[in-house]
Amino acid sequence: MSNIRNLSMLSDFYEFTMANGYFNHGMKDTIAVFDAFYRTNPDEGGYSIFAGLNDVIDFIENLHFTDEDIAYLKEAGDFSEEFLDYLRDFKFTGDVWAFPEGSVMFPNEPIITVRAPIIECSIVETYLLLSMNFNSLIATKTSRIVKAAGDRLVMEFGARRAQGADASLTGARAAFIAGAPVSSNTLSAKTYGFNPSGTMAHAWIQAFDSEYEAFKIYAETYPENCILLIDTYDTINSGLPNAMRVFKEVLEPKGLTGGVRIDSGDLAYLSKEVRKILDENGYKEAKIVASNSLDEFKINSLTAQGAKIDSFGIGERLITSKSDPVFGGVYKLVGIYEDEELKARIKVSENVEKITTPGFKKVYRLYDKETGKAEADYITLREEEVDESKPLVIFDPLFTWKMKKMDNYEARLMQVPIFENGKLVYEQPDIHEIHDYCKKELDSVWEEVKRFDQPHNYYVDLSQDLWNLKQNLILEAKRGL
């Protein structure tokens, strides 16, 4: 994005209180490693889609504090003058690795890893999570909606129901990545480089003396993109007859075909009736667009009822992910350097799912060479290498007796370098390339993992060395009590 705002102060206040404490305790140059990951998929799904890396990159590149920021912090908290002086010349100097945007991802694997002085790690946390969580939420929701729609077009219509201007902008971008190539959001399309789309609201029809006049003037103005909204007064007895009259008088002489949109009522019944009447009158090529609080569950229901809908406009239930509106990404310390040696760190909890996986790690995705499908993700310590020429036995981290032997497989490193020593080294793909990559990613995942009802559990396994490290640190923590 151009004209990037300075959002460096968009941080939880405790990031600054901890940073001040680290600074005054002589830890300014202490290097730490943090992982950003998440624990469960939205809507009890089998996968998620990673988005928001572009915003993380912009934030880190632009990270600095103004004199006004320093003055505010001086008044707002008990910070030392030395720490505030340190912030005056602050910039990110560390390393970042991440999954490429559009990647399919799974719970409990490091999606973004940050290695940097611990103060820098702390200050990037809030915005990093904000970007990853919201954008991944909308991309994942869109992916599910697109799957339910099948080969029918999905259009993002959520700007007016989004939770703020920024959510409407980045949400439309995330939706584009995951398969909704059309958005009503003009600014998002302009900002990120895809095409906006839209026709008319009910106000257009109401503004004229008759529905027929409104349709006719619109068709004369936009004959190449004439989708008429037919539910303002009476879909079957008024809107559709007037639309067909305009098709005949305005579009047919130009060799063009229009379409209709239904925005209320029983969409299954109405779409079937509209399709029947259109076909009987020779308008078999006319498309039917449906909108009105749709999501993947409603689309599945409409499909089961035999609805005759060619494309869907999805608003509030996409841009807010209404059925499950929180993506629970977290950011945890997994290691800290002492005398240039990494000491792994772990968070232990009575809730097993909240025990973190320690150490500086990397993620391999294991593909079956015969099918091309992803079989499991395999997390190792950073220094470990997977030798594809040798069989690999993977096991469930919790139920270790569940094992699988991989023979004819390909191992792909999922994280790629983003920043090295504070310098951006990642060449960001454009939005269309990310969209194509996301589609390829989804195609590599078995349908059983992508189904909505009780999806197959995709395995995210640990190497033996990493599993041993985790168990030893758990025991050490408990013995220390």
Side-chain angles (χ1 to χ4, degrees):
M1 290 178 63
S2 59
N3 301 318
I4 299 169
R5 292 174 292 169
N6 178 17
L7 298 174
S8 303
M9 293 283 280
L10 204 169
S11 173
D12 291 297
F13 193 67
Y14 75 3
E15 306 292 5
F16 291 109
T17 63
M18 289 190 294
N20 180 69
Y22 292 139
F23 183 91
N24 292 317
H25 192 60
M27 296 176 66
K28 175 175 71 73
D29 298 318
T30 298
I31 305 297
V33 180
F34 281 75
D35 285 339
F37 61 95
Y38 72 103
R39 296 190 177 103
T40 59
N41 294 308
D43 290 303
E44 299 183 349
Y47 70 96
S48 293
I49 301 293
F50 173 51
L53 178 60
N54 68 313
D55 285 341
V56 173
I57 290 172
D58 288 345
F59 176 79
I60 290 176
E61 282 202 295
N62 197 50
L63 189 55
H64 69 280
F65 297 97
T66 66
D67 290 341
E68 183 181 353
D69 295 334
I70 304 298
Y72 175 80
L73 289 172
K74 187 172 184 177
E75 293 297 323
D78 187 16
F79 301 115
S80 70
E81 288 294 334
E82 293 80 6
F83 173 67
L84 295 176
D85 286 339
Y86 160 78
L87 290 183
R88 294 182 194 280
D89 297 318
F90 184 89
K91 64 178 181 178
F92 184 79
T93 64
D95 308 317
V96 178
W97 297 262
F99 280 33
E101 265 196 298
S103 293
V104 171
M105 60 181 180
F106 301 97
N108 299 312
E109 57 187 10
I111 308 303
I112 304 175
T113 296
V114 180
R115 182 178 64 183
I118 194 166
I119 294 175
E120 297 176 24
C121 290
S122 297
I123 287 175
V124 303
E125 175 178 359
T126 303
Y127 194 86
L128 184 153
L129 285 176
L130 179 160
S131 300
M132 169 181 156
N133 284 337
F134 175 73
N135 288 283
S136 299
L137 178 72
I138 303 308
T140 304
K141 187 64 172 179
T142 303
S143 173
R144 291 168 57 86
I145 291 169
V146 169
K147 177 173 173 54
D151 59 359
R152 291 162 292 192
L153 175 68
V154 171
M155 299 172 284
E156 186 277 315
F157 282 3
R160 62 191 59 194
R161 299 290 173 83
Q163 289 155 333
D166 287 340
S168 76
L169 290 173
T170 60
R173 178 186 181 276
F176 184 95
I177 288 171
V182 173
S183 174
S184 66
N185 192 318
T186 312
L187 181 56
S188 188
K190 173 180 178 290
T191 301
Y192 296 112
F194 53 87
N195 294 324
S197 183
T199 55
M200 65 175 68
H202 293 106
W204 172 270
I205 293 100
Q206 294 170 287
F208 294 90
D209 289 337
S210 71
E211 188 176 49
Y212 164 73
E213 182 185 8
F215 287 172
K216 184 172 185 292
I217 291 173
Y218 193 89
E220 290 171 342
T221 307
Y222 303 105
E224 301 280 350
N225 184 29
C226 185
I227 304 296
L228 303 175
L229 184 59
I230 60 174
D231 70 324
T232 303
Y233 303 118
D234 187 315
T235 300
I236 300 299
N237 298 306
S238 174
L240 184 57
N242 281 322
M244 291 191 297
R245 180 181 172 186
V246 168
F247 292 166
K248 186 172 186 64
E249 294 175 358
V250 179
L251 299 184
E252 281 187 21
K254 300 177 184 291
L256 299 172
T257 302
V260 298
R261 178 161 73 97
I262 310 169
D263 189 50
S264 62
D266 186 329
L267 296 180
Y269 166 76
L270 289 173
S271 66
K272 287 186 282 188
E273 287 296 303
V274 168
R275 181 79 272 159
K276 177 183 175 183
I277 295 168
L278 285 170
D279 290 353
E280 289 173 348
N281 284 272
Y283 299 110
K284 293 185 178 182
E285 300 301 316
K287 302 298 184 183
I288 300 175
V289 182
S291 51
N292 188 25
S293 296
L294 298 173
D295 61 13
E296 69 269 39
F297 305 109
K298 288 194 173 185
I299 291 173
N300 272 348
S301 176
L302 289 169
T303 301
Q305 296 172 68
K308 302 297 183 181
I309 298 170
D310 298 295
S311 59
F312 300 95
I314 319 288
E316 63 190 47
R317 291 176 181 264
L318 185 158
I319 204 65
T320 66
S321 188
K322 185 176 180 180
S323 59
D324 196 349
V326 177
F327 195 90
V330 295
Y331 182 80
K332 298 297 181 183
L333 175 70
V334 294
I336 197 159
Y337 284 85
E338 296 178 3
D339 298 324
E340 298 187 356
E341 181 182 353
L342 181 72
K343 302 293 185 182
R345 293 289 192 264
I346 192 169
K347 176 185 180 296
V348 180
S349 172
E350 293 300 318
N351 297 328
V352 174
E353 68 275 7
K354 288 196 172 185
I355 299 176
T356 60
T357 301
F360 190 21
K361 303 176 290 294
K362 55 188 177 184
V363 181
Y364 288 96
R365 183 152 295 165
L366 306 178
Y367 297 88
D368 186 305
K369 283 189 175 180
E370 290 186 7
T371 65
K373 297 293 187 182
E375 295 292 331
D377 281 11
Y378 184 61
I379 310 177
T380 73
L381 293 168
R382 202 74 183 182
E383 61 271 18
E384 293 185 83
E385 298 289 339
V386 173
D387 185 348
E388 296 175 353
S389 68
K390 297 179 181 179
L392 178 65
V393 176
I394 58 177
F395 60 92
D396 187 293
L398 293 179
F399 307 102
T400 55
W401 51 269
K402 290 185 177 181
M403 297 183 178
K404 180 174 182 176
K405 184 179 180 182
M406 303 286 294
D407 287 307
N408 189 26
Y409 66 94
E410 176 185 350
R412 170 194 169 202
L413 274 173
M414 291 303 297
Q415 287 187 333
V416 297
I418 308 298
F419 286 90
E420 290 182 1
N421 298 318
K423 180 181 178 181
L424 179 66
V425 296
Y426 180 63
E427 186 175 340
Q428 297 184 69
D430 67 33
I431 190 78
H432 302 280
E433 292 171 322
I434 299 172
H435 164 84
D436 293 343
Y437 168 75
C438 184
K439 185 178 184 304
K440 183 179 178 182
E441 279 281 280
L442 285 164
D443 288 343
S444 73
V445 177
W446 288 104
E447 288 301 314
E448 290 83 351
V449 175
K450 294 184 285 187
R451 69 187 176 216
F452 300 152
D453 186 28
Q454 295 183 323
H456 172 73
N457 179 40
Y458 182 90
Y459 290 107
V460 176
D461 297 332
L462 309 183
S463 71
Q464 185 68 61
D465 287 350
L466 179 55
W467 188 88
N468 289 343
L469 173 66
K470 184 172 183 176
Q471 301 310 308
N472 289 337
L473 288 180
I474 292 172
L475 290 175
E476 285 181 19
K478 291 300 183 181
R479 286 170 181 158
L481 293 178

PDB file of all heavy atoms in Angstrom, residues 93-113:
ATOM      1  N   THR A  93      15.438  -4.767  13.718  1.00  0.00           N
ATOM      2  CA  THR A  93      16.743  -5.229  13.235  1.00  0.00           C
ATOM      3  C   THR A  93      16.830  -6.747  13.122  1.00  0.00           C
ATOM      4  O   THR A  93      17.898  -7.286  12.819  1.00  0.00           O
ATOM      5  CB  THR A  93      17.861  -4.758  14.183  1.00  0.00           C
ATOM      6  OG1 THR A  93      17.675  -5.367  15.481  1.00  0.00           O
ATOM      7  CG2 THR A  93      17.862  -3.244  14.322  1.00  0.00           C
ATOM      8  N   GLY A  94      15.708  -7.438  13.369  1.00  0.00           N
ATOM      9  CA  GLY A  94      15.750  -8.894  13.469  1.00  0.00           C
ATOM     10  C   GLY A  94      15.390  -9.639  12.204  1.00  0.00           C
ATOM     11  O   GLY A  94      15.399  -9.095  11.093  1.00  0.00           O
ATOM     12  N   ASP A  95      15.060 -10.916  12.388  1.00  0.00           N
ATOM     13  CA  ASP A  95      14.728 -11.833  11.305  1.00  0.00           C
ATOM     14  C   ASP A  95      13.283 -12.295  11.447  1.00  0.00           C
ATOM     15  O   ASP A  95      12.784 -12.484  12.565  1.00  0.00           O
ATOM     16  CB  ASP A  95      15.633 -13.069  11.340  1.00  0.00           C
ATOM     17  CG  ASP A  95      17.113 -12.715  11.388  1.00  0.00           C
ATOM     18  OD1 ASP A  95      17.502 -11.794  10.643  1.00  0.00           O
ATOM     19  OD2 ASP A  95      17.853 -13.349  12.161  1.00  0.00           O
ATOM     20  N   VAL A  96      12.624 -12.498  10.311  1.00  0.00           N
ATOM     21  CA  VAL A  96      11.253 -13.007  10.295  1.00  0.00           C
ATOM     22  C   VAL A  96      11.142 -14.073   9.220  1.00  0.00           C
ATOM     23  O   VAL A  96      11.649 -13.902   8.102  1.00  0.00           O
ATOM     24  CB  VAL A  96      10.224 -11.886  10.009  1.00  0.00           C
ATOM     25  CG1 VAL A  96       8.805 -12.462   9.940  1.00  0.00           C
ATOM     26  CG2 VAL A  96      10.302 -10.795  11.074  1.00  0.00           C
ATOM     27  N   TRP A  97      10.510 -15.171   9.577  1.00  0.00           N
ATOM     28  CA  TRP A  97      10.131 -16.201   8.615  1.00  0.00           C
ATOM     29  C   TRP A  97       8.625 -16.363   8.671  1.00  0.00           C
ATOM     30  O   TRP A  97       8.020 -16.189   9.731  1.00  0.00           O
ATOM     31  CB  TRP A  97      10.775 -17.550   8.950  1.00  0.00           C
ATOM     32  CG  TRP A  97      12.265 -17.577   8.897  1.00  0.00           C
ATOM     33  CD1 TRP A  97      13.045 -18.023   7.867  1.00  0.00           C
ATOM     34  CD2 TRP A  97      13.175 -17.184   9.926  1.00  0.00           C
ATOM     35  NE1 TRP A  97      14.380 -17.914   8.193  1.00  0.00           N
ATOM     36  CE2 TRP A  97      14.484 -17.401   9.453  1.00  0.00           C
ATOM     37  CE3 TRP A  97      13.020 -16.636  11.205  1.00  0.00           C
ATOM     38  CZ2 TRP A  97      15.616 -17.114  10.196  1.00  0.00           C
ATOM     39  CZ3 TRP A  97      14.150 -16.340  11.954  1.00  0.00           C
ATOM     40  CH2 TRP A  97      15.427 -16.584  11.459  1.00  0.00           C
ATOM     41  N   ALA A  98       7.997 -16.726   7.545  1.00  0.00           N
ATOM     42  CA  ALA A  98       6.546 -16.887   7.540  1.00  0.00           C
ATOM     43  C   ALA A  98       6.117 -17.799   6.402  1.00  0.00           C
ATOM     44  O   ALA A  98       6.823 -17.942   5.400  1.00  0.00           O
ATOM     45  CB  ALA A  98       5.849 -15.530   7.402  1.00  0.00           C
ATOM     46  N   PHE A  99       4.931 -18.402   6.560  1.00  0.00           N
ATOM     47  CA  PHE A  99       4.284 -19.056   5.442  1.00  0.00           C
ATOM     48  C   PHE A  99       3.975 -17.980   4.386  1.00  0.00           C
ATOM     49  O   PHE A  99       3.643 -16.848   4.750  1.00  0.00           O
ATOM     50  CB  PHE A  99       2.952 -19.669   5.876  1.00  0.00           C
ATOM     51  CG  PHE A  99       3.051 -20.994   6.599  1.00  0.00           C
ATOM     52  CD1 PHE A  99       4.127 -21.303   7.420  1.00  0.00           C
ATOM     53  CD2 PHE A  99       2.034 -21.925   6.480  1.00  0.00           C
ATOM     54  CE1 PHE A  99       4.193 -22.513   8.090  1.00  0.00           C
ATOM     55  CE2 PHE A  99       2.084 -23.145   7.139  1.00  0.00           C
ATOM     56  CZ  PHE A  99       3.174 -23.445   7.949  1.00  0.00           C
ATOM     57  N   PRO A 100       4.046 -18.285   3.111  1.00  0.00           N
ATOM     58  CA  PRO A 100       3.565 -17.329   2.106  1.00  0.00           C
ATOM     59  C   PRO A 100       2.065 -17.088   2.268  1.00  0.00           C
ATOM     60  O   PRO A 100       1.324 -17.994   2.682  1.00  0.00           O
ATOM     61  CB  PRO A 100       3.860 -18.035   0.779  1.00  0.00           C
ATOM     62  CG  PRO A 100       4.911 -19.053   1.100  1.00  0.00           C
ATOM     63  CD  PRO A 100       4.621 -19.494   2.501  1.00  0.00           C
ATOM     64  N   GLU A 101       1.627 -15.884   1.962  1.00  0.00           N
ATOM     65  CA  GLU A 101       0.196 -15.597   2.011  1.00  0.00           C
ATOM     66  C   GLU A 101      -0.562 -16.517   1.062  1.00  0.00           C
ATOM     67  O   GLU A 101      -0.097 -16.810  -0.037  1.00  0.00           O
ATOM     68  CB  GLU A 101      -0.080 -14.152   1.627  1.00  0.00           C
ATOM     69  CG  GLU A 101      -0.190 -13.231   2.809  1.00  0.00           C
ATOM     70  CD  GLU A 101      -0.834 -11.913   2.446  1.00  0.00           C
ATOM     71  OE1 GLU A 101      -0.270 -11.189   1.609  1.00  0.00           O
ATOM     72  OE2 GLU A 101      -1.901 -11.596   3.014  1.00  0.00           O
ATOM     73  N   GLY A 102      -1.744 -16.932   1.505  1.00  0.00           N
ATOM     74  CA  GLY A 102      -2.543 -17.852   0.712  1.00  0.00           C
ATOM     75  C   GLY A 102      -2.278 -19.305   1.044  1.00  0.00           C
ATOM     76  O   GLY A 102      -2.944 -20.197   0.514  1.00  0.00           O
ATOM     77  N   SER A 103      -1.310 -19.571   1.944  1.00  0.00           N
ATOM     78  CA  SER A 103      -0.998 -20.955   2.321  1.00  0.00           C
ATOM     79  C   SER A 103      -2.136 -21.561   3.135  1.00  0.00           C
ATOM     80  O   SER A 103      -2.749 -20.896   3.970  1.00  0.00           O
ATOM     81  CB  SER A 103       0.280 -21.011   3.166  1.00  0.00           C
ATOM     82  OG  SER A 103       1.409 -20.649   2.428  1.00  0.00           O
ATOM     83  N   VAL A 104      -2.384 -22.835   2.899  1.00  0.00           N
ATOM     84  CA  VAL A 104      -3.208 -23.599   3.828  1.00  0.00           C
ATOM     85  C   VAL A 104      -2.381 -23.828   5.083  1.00  0.00           C
ATOM     86  O   VAL A 104      -1.182 -24.124   5.010  1.00  0.00           O
ATOM     87  CB  VAL A 104      -3.628 -24.942   3.200  1.00  0.00           C
ATOM     88  CG1 VAL A 104      -4.309 -25.833   4.235  1.00  0.00           C
ATOM     89  CG2 VAL A 104      -4.558 -24.709   2.013  1.00  0.00           C
ATOM     90  N   MET A 105      -3.004 -23.665   6.241  1.00  0.00           N
ATOM     91  CA  MET A 105      -2.274 -23.848   7.500  1.00  0.00           C
ATOM     92  C   MET A 105      -3.143 -24.623   8.485  1.00  0.00           C
ATOM     93  O   MET A 105      -4.372 -24.727   8.318  1.00  0.00           O
ATOM     94  CB  MET A 105      -1.862 -22.501   8.094  1.00  0.00           C
ATOM     95  CG  MET A 105      -2.992 -21.557   8.408  1.00  0.00           C
ATOM     96  SD  MET A 105      -2.365 -19.983   9.079  1.00  0.00           S
ATOM     97  CE  MET A 105      -3.911 -19.099   9.337  1.00  0.00           C
ATOM     98  N   PHE A 106      -2.487 -25.136   9.505  1.00  0.00           N
ATOM     99  CA  PHE A 106      -3.159 -26.006  10.467  1.00  0.00           C
ATOM    100  C   PHE A 106      -2.766 -25.603  11.890  1.00  0.00           C
ATOM    101  O   PHE A 106      -1.748 -24.928  12.102  1.00  0.00           O
ATOM    102  CB  PHE A 106      -2.779 -27.462  10.193  1.00  0.00           C
ATOM    103  CG  PHE A 106      -3.154 -27.913   8.810  1.00  0.00           C
ATOM    104  CD1 PHE A 106      -2.218 -27.900   7.787  1.00  0.00           C
ATOM    105  CD2 PHE A 106      -4.448 -28.307   8.519  1.00  0.00           C
ATOM    106  CE1 PHE A 106      -2.554 -28.285   6.503  1.00  0.00           C
ATOM    107  CE2 PHE A 106      -4.802 -28.687   7.234  1.00  0.00           C
ATOM    108  CZ  PHE A 106      -3.851 -28.682   6.221  1.00  0.00           C
ATOM    109  N   PRO A 107      -3.569 -26.006  12.879  1.00  0.00           N
ATOM    110  CA  PRO A 107      -3.310 -25.595  14.255  1.00  0.00           C
ATOM    111  C   PRO A 107      -1.948 -26.054  14.784  1.00  0.00           C
ATOM    112  O   PRO A 107      -1.419 -27.100  14.392  1.00  0.00           O
ATOM    113  CB  PRO A 107      -4.450 -26.248  15.036  1.00  0.00           C
ATOM    114  CG  PRO A 107      -5.551 -26.397  14.033  1.00  0.00           C
ATOM    115  CD  PRO A 107      -4.867 -26.715  12.750  1.00  0.00           C
ATOM    116  N   ASN A 108      -1.402 -25.212  15.656  1.00  0.00           N
ATOM    117  CA  ASN A 108      -0.232 -25.539  16.481  1.00  0.00           C
ATOM    118  C   ASN A 108       1.076 -25.647  15.699  1.00  0.00           C
ATOM    119  O   ASN A 108       2.026 -26.261  16.182  1.00  0.00           O
ATOM    120  CB  ASN A 108      -0.477 -26.832  17.273  1.00  0.00           C
ATOM    121  CG  ASN A 108      -1.662 -26.702  18.202  1.00  0.00           C
ATOM    122  OD1 ASN A 108      -1.772 -25.718  18.932  1.00  0.00           O
ATOM    123  ND2 ASN A 108      -2.580 -27.659  18.155  1.00  0.00           N
ATOM    124  N   GLU A 109       1.139 -25.051  14.529  1.00  0.00           N
ATOM    125  CA  GLU A 109       2.410 -24.988  13.825  1.00  0.00           C
ATOM    126  C   GLU A 109       2.812 -23.521  13.683  1.00  0.00           C
ATOM    127  O   GLU A 109       1.957 -22.652  13.514  1.00  0.00           O
ATOM    128  CB  GLU A 109       2.318 -25.654  12.454  1.00  0.00           C
ATOM    129  CG  GLU A 109       1.254 -25.100  11.531  1.00  0.00           C
ATOM    130  CD  GLU A 109       1.109 -25.920  10.249  1.00  0.00           C
ATOM    131  OE1 GLU A 109       1.701 -27.013  10.158  1.00  0.00           O
ATOM    132  OE2 GLU A 109       0.383 -25.482   9.340  1.00  0.00           O
ATOM    133  N   PRO A 110       4.110 -23.211  13.772  1.00  0.00           N
ATOM    134  CA  PRO A 110       4.532 -21.815  13.674  1.00  0.00           C
ATOM    135  C   PRO A 110       4.297 -21.259  12.277  1.00  0.00           C
ATOM    136  O   PRO A 110       4.904 -21.717  11.313  1.00  0.00           O
ATOM    137  CB  PRO A 110       6.023 -21.868  14.020  1.00  0.00           C
ATOM    138  CG  PRO A 110       6.438 -23.283  13.776  1.00  0.00           C
ATOM    139  CD  PRO A 110       5.227 -24.130  14.034  1.00  0.00           C
ATOM    140  N   ILE A 111       3.415 -20.274  12.179  1.00  0.00           N
ATOM    141  CA  ILE A 111       3.107 -19.644  10.897  1.00  0.00           C
ATOM    142  C   ILE A 111       4.085 -18.498  10.641  1.00  0.00           C
ATOM    143  O   ILE A 111       4.615 -18.349   9.551  1.00  0.00           O
ATOM    144  CB  ILE A 111       1.657 -19.125  10.879  1.00  0.00           C
ATOM    145  CG1 ILE A 111       0.685 -20.237  11.287  1.00  0.00           C
ATOM    146  CG2 ILE A 111       1.306 -18.557   9.512  1.00  0.00           C
ATOM    147  CD1 ILE A 111       0.762 -21.484  10.439  1.00  0.00           C
ATOM    148  N   ILE A 112       4.327 -17.688  11.653  1.00  0.00           N
ATOM    149  CA  ILE A 112       5.326 -16.620  11.598  1.00  0.00           C
ATOM    150  C   ILE A 112       6.293 -16.825  12.758  1.00  0.00           C
ATOM    151  O   ILE A 112       5.865 -17.060  13.892  1.00  0.00           O
ATOM    152  CB  ILE A 112       4.681 -15.225  11.711  1.00  0.00           C
ATOM    153  CG1 ILE A 112       3.615 -15.018  10.623  1.00  0.00           C
ATOM    154  CG2 ILE A 112       5.745 -14.130  11.611  1.00  0.00           C
ATOM    155  CD1 ILE A 112       2.862 -13.702  10.746  1.00  0.00           C
ATOM    156  N   THR A 113       7.572 -16.760  12.464  1.00  0.00           N
ATOM    157  CA  THR A 113       8.596 -16.847  13.508  1.00  0.00           C
ATOM    158  C   THR A 113       9.421 -15.571  13.478  1.00  0.00           C
ATOM    159  O   THR A 113       9.861 -15.130  12.405  1.00  0.00           O
ATOM    160  CB  THR A 113       9.500 -18.074  13.298  1.00  0.00           C
ATOM    161  OG1 THR A 113       8.725 -19.266  13.438  1.00  0.00           O
ATOM    162  CG2 THR A 113      10.632 -18.094  14.309  1.00  0.00           C
TER     163      THR A 113
END
